[in-house]
Amino acid sequence: MEDVVFMFPGVGVQNTGMGKSFYDNFKIVRETFEQASDILKRDIAQMCFMNSQKEKLFELANSQSALLTVCVAMHKVFVKETGIIPKYSMGHSLGEYSALCSAGAIEFSQALKLVEIRSEIITEVSKTMDGVMMWVINIDRQTIEEVCCEESKNENKVFISAFDSPSQFSISGDRNNVMKVAKQLEGKGALIYPLKMNGPFHSQLMYKATEKFKSELINYRFCEFKYPVISNMTGLPYDTSENIVDNLSLQLMKPIKWTSFIEFLENEGIERAIEIDPKNNLKYLMEKNTENIKTFSVENIADLSFVKTKSLNQSNEQNLELIGRCLGAIISTKNNNEDDDKYNKGATRCNMKSIA
């Protein structure tokens, strides 16, 4: 296990052609796609790779299952090719399912079914309201909290639905209310980007979805973690697999605490992150949060080779450092040999062997 974290993306990074280089070169990827297609009763490879399927790919149910399939397949290849086992794993919103699969806490077949149910429930609940979600960039946390709080006094509640970095957030709520808040924030220098999502996701307006999804989650059995996964809901690692039901259901109505993820990792001394993502979006977020964690993105097989080389080089550097410390200890060890001539001859032979 290495001092590294695996990162998986959420909906929004899906694109036609994602995972294609892995699919073309690795049997295990094709098998993963076939498994997903058999379970979901639709051709996931066709949806991911054909331009004619682009509109279908961006439908919520399809984008979630397709992205999960691509990330799980890429993760299988990455681990097989590099042998890297992380100290932690984490995912942004939907990406938490990929993270849980990577850690063995949820079987891929189960995750596909759960993601399918999840998308059906949030789509159904979202249709009962005119909700929306927007990115807010170039603003500080205190300002966005004050504006949202002021607007919510009139029961026109607008929620911060993601804390992505010290200057990037998302807000969710009723469309008209969110537009009012967005206009105020723009006046304070913020940049606003509407998301292609018709729902107030990761806000309290999704409480009915939380209740419905929890009633489905309790029917599943989960496994022990091979390594810890950080929860979107708490910003901290799961205690046990028994927390999965509560964490995944509450995730629907709680904000994503990405900045808390990064703070936790820094406190744990993590210095490397590997993003398994068809669009390297999380590397950008990491750079906005900290300079202390170097991120490597795995988007295609060329990236795989690069990360593998970097990992091996880091291992060699660590080995050399260890050897240096050992030699330092030898050099500083007092000579307790009664015969100085024999001791010096031994040291000379040792030095000659080292040079050779």
Side-chain angles (χ1 to χ4, degrees):
M1 189 172 290
E2 301 191 28
D3 286 339
V4 64
V5 60
F6 284 171
M7 302 191 301
F8 299 92
V11 172
V13 302
Q14 68 273 9
N15 60 86
T16 300
M18 63 178 182
K20 187 68 163 62
S21 63
F22 284 87
Y23 184 90
D24 290 341
N25 288 278
F26 295 98
K27 181 181 178 182
I28 193 171
V29 174
R30 295 190 290 274
E31 290 173 344
T32 303
F33 272 72
E34 289 169 9
Q35 182 185 1
S37 298
D38 290 342
I39 291 171
L40 300 174
K41 308 303 179 187
R42 54 184 182 272
D43 193 326
I44 299 299
Q46 189 178 76
M47 195 175 300
C48 287
F49 305 144
M50 293 185 64
N51 285 320
S52 60
Q53 299 290 309
K54 186 173 182 178
E55 285 189 16
K56 283 189 175 182
L57 177 61
F58 277 81
E59 292 174 7
L60 188 60
N62 294 329
S63 61
Q64 291 196 28
S65 54
L67 189 59
L68 174 66
T69 300
V70 170
C71 288
V72 168
M74 289 169 63
H75 168 263
K76 288 180 179 179
V77 172
F78 182 83
V79 172
K80 184 177 180 181
E81 292 294 307
T82 67
I84 294 175
I85 303 298
K87 191 171 182 180
Y88 296 101
S89 183
M90 64 188 195
H92 195 280
S93 189
L94 175 76
E96 189 167 339
Y97 290 80
S98 298
L100 289 166
C101 284
S102 78
I106 298 182
E107 293 180 3
F108 177 52
S109 58
Q110 286 186 320
L112 284 169
K113 294 172 184 176
L114 285 172
V115 164
E116 188 89 337
I117 294 168
R118 179 183 188 263
S119 63
E120 290 173 359
I121 289 174
I122 60 179
T123 299
E124 177 188 341
V125 171
S126 295
K127 285 179 179 178
T128 65
M129 63 190 90
D130 187 19
V132 70
M133 190 174 183
M134 293 185 178
W135 268 337
V136 182
I137 300 174
N138 195 37
I139 199 82
D140 63 272
R141 178 169 178 164
Q142 182 177 345
T143 301
I144 192 172
E145 285 181 334
E146 287 175 352
V147 173
C148 287
C149 184
E150 185 63 31
E151 181 63 28
S152 296
K153 285 181 180 178
N154 301 318
E155 296 187 357
N156 301 322
K157 294 191 179 296
V158 174
F159 304 89
I160 301 176
S161 45
F163 297 87
D164 286 334
S165 83
S167 61
Q168 179 172 321
F169 309 85
S170 67
I171 55 175
S172 298
D174 175 82
R175 186 180 301 275
N176 290 332
N177 299 335
V178 169
M179 292 301 293
K180 289 178 185 177
V181 168
K183 189 172 182 179
Q184 291 182 53
L185 291 171
E186 279 185 319
K188 295 178 181 294
L191 301 174
I192 308 296
Y193 296 93
L195 296 175
K196 294 180 180 179
M197 294 182 177
N198 294 319
F201 304 129
H202 297 292
S203 80
Q204 292 178 23
L205 296 179
M206 298 299 291
Y207 72 93
K208 288 184 179 178
T210 293
E211 293 173 352
K212 289 184 177 183
F213 193 41
K214 185 173 183 177
S215 68
E216 295 288 344
L217 281 164
I218 59 176
N219 297 318
Y220 288 77
R221 294 176 64 87
F222 304 107
C223 307
E224 292 304 312
F225 292 83
K226 295 177 183 175
Y227 44 80
V229 172
I230 303 175
S231 163
N232 277 258
M233 205 267 292
T234 65
L236 296 170
Y238 280 77
D239 294 324
T240 70
S241 59
E242 293 177 2
N243 300 133
I244 290 177
V245 172
D246 285 338
N247 284 4
L248 290 185
S249 57
L250 287 170
Q251 186 208 81
L252 299 179
M253 62 176 285
K254 296 290 186 179
I256 299 166
K257 299 180 178 179
W258 196 256
T259 52
S260 297
F261 289 22
I262 309 305
E263 289 170 6
F264 172 81
L265 294 173
E266 286 191 292
N267 290 335
E268 289 291 298
I270 299 298
E271 296 181 351
R272 289 182 298 155
I274 295 173
E275 173 189 20
I276 300 174
D277 181 344
K279 205 173 181 180
N280 66 33
N281 181 58
L282 298 179
K283 180 178 181 179
Y284 165 75
L285 278 188
M286 182 66 81
E287 290 171 349
K288 291 193 70 174
N289 276 281
T290 181
E291 297 178 350
N292 299 326
I293 301 177
K294 186 173 180 62
T295 303
F296 301 94
S297 294
V298 179
E299 183 179 350
N300 50 53
I301 57 173
D303 295 329
L304 179 67
S305 301
F306 177 77
V307 172
K308 186 176 180 179
T309 302
K310 285 291 182 181
S311 176
L312 289 173
N313 286 343
Q314 175 129 352
S315 296
N316 288 336
E317 289 170 7
Q318 290 171 342
N319 289 337
L320 288 172
E321 183 181 350
L322 176 61
I323 292 169
R325 289 200 300 268
C326 292
L327 288 173
I330 293 169
I331 291 168
S332 62
T333 300
K334 183 181 178 180
N335 172 23
N336 291 316
N337 197 312
E338 293 180 357
D339 190 329
D340 285 342
D341 291 335
K342 288 183 178 180
Y343 177 81
N344 290 330
K345 286 180 181 179
T348 303
R349 286 196 300 271
C350 189
N351 287 335
M352 290 303 293
K353 287 180 180 179
S354 298
I355 293 169

